[in-house]
Amino acid sequence: LKPFSAPPAVPSKAVCGWAGKMAPTSVSDRLTAEVGGLREGQVSLRKAITGLRRGQSFVRTTLNDLCESHIVLCELLNEMGLLGPSTVMARLHRRRFQSMRRLHPCQWQSTLTEAIGSSGIALAVARFAGSLATTKLHRASRALAGDMVEARSAMNSSSLGALYVCAGSDGLECLNSVERFDPVAGVWEALPPLVLRRYGATAAVMGGRLYVCGGYNSQERLSAVECFDPEADCWEIMPPMAQRRAYVAAAVINHRLYICGGYDGRECLSSAERFDPIVGTWENLLPLAQRRSGAAAATIRGRLYVCGGDNGREGLSSVERFDPTAGSWEGLPPMAQRASVSVAAVIGGHLYICGGYNRRERLSSAEFFDPAIGRWQALPSMSWRRSGAVATVIGGQLYVCGGYDGQERLNSAERFDPSSGTWDALPPMSWRRHGAAVAVIDDHLYICGGYDGRECLSSAECFDPAKGVWITLPPMERPRSGPAVAMLMS
């Protein structure tokens, strides 16, 4: 007998047909299931992201509420005389310092007092770290307080003053940040921010303190006033002005701040008020004869001059003068040109007005007022039409820089010499600037920020009249246009 062997299995046509049809159908089902699973996962992910966003919004709202409650509690404790801001900051510093020591333990070979507890090293550290850091170290360390006081005194004795640049706009939002430039060290230093964001505000210095008034916060014009004390390195809320206003005419006379005109968001203003820092109150003055926004202001022999501006319908050529002794306004002969956002300067008791905008075109005209004869006299025109330029006086000569000519922002600069009655073109700035900040320190012209037609600038530069060259300076931390600016001596 032969061994039994089963014949090889041959699939039937029916079976082959069934298998051929089932294979692709199975793949299609799997793909469909996987796509469905991905869609379900996508829906779940969207729900999770929505939940995270809601949670983030809740955390942000809660954090803002806690910050506001913290501020209110600190204000109440300070008003009650129980706890001051310095005590809170010192305790917070100690807690953070101890936390960092726990996270990063190490064997200290010497104390901070031993490391910099001598006048020479302390002064070197103070110059490198800056005034704000030196003040914080003075507050945080009792052992180093005496050394830091000596270092700050030595710094101040050799200081030429500092340029303060406050708020403005970076092109996206109004700012509350503040920076200070030290011309000796050649560095910018970030200062505590303003409480409120502001654009188009005005700044003034009285009694060694910096005051910032009014402006626009992207929603409304402001009446709020803040004061910066360089010794305490903090801002203080002052009594508000009687009216909300931006783009005002302002000046300091006999240690009092005068604010005139401006725009409140609905109309140009004619009201005027005066702030006395000694008593800390605002006093309403007699109003201007005309409503004015963007007027030019200057002081000559203790009297305030307000020139031109815009009343909401047209540019103005009228001029008014306020006498603080009499407490009244006096109308003066008008300028030859209607102009707002002009530049004003005083040289030799004469008031100079240059450039501006008359609602039709930017101006290159220049004229000056002689109070002795009560008359305006025309000057040679500038080489460029300019509105929103900056101007200052160095060595009895008038410097005008940047601005807008109606087509582009300018980097040109020119200088007027009253003795020869002529304008001289200066080397151009490295950047086009409109709405920049300007100040004079040690007979050097410092200019920073502004708008170049595309973006707001953080760049800064300095003009040396003796060498006739622009020197590039370190940039500010934030780009800004239209800031409030002041020069404060140490």
Side-chain angles (χ1 to χ4, degrees), residues 111-126:
T111 65
L112 183 62
T113 304
E114 293 171 345
I116 62 174
S118 67
S119 59
I121 299 178
L123 178 58
V125 171

Side-chain angles (χ1 to χ4, degrees), residues 29-39:
D29 289 344
R30 284 199 302 271
L31 289 175
T32 302
E34 289 178 2
V35 170
L38 288 173
R39 287 176 177 172

Side-chain angles (χ1 to χ4, degrees), residues 44-59:
S44 300
L45 184 59
R46 287 175 179 172
K47 290 181 179 179
I49 292 174
T50 301
L52 288 173
R53 286 175 176 170
R54 290 175 180 171
Q56 185 182 31
S57 177
F58 174 77
V59 170

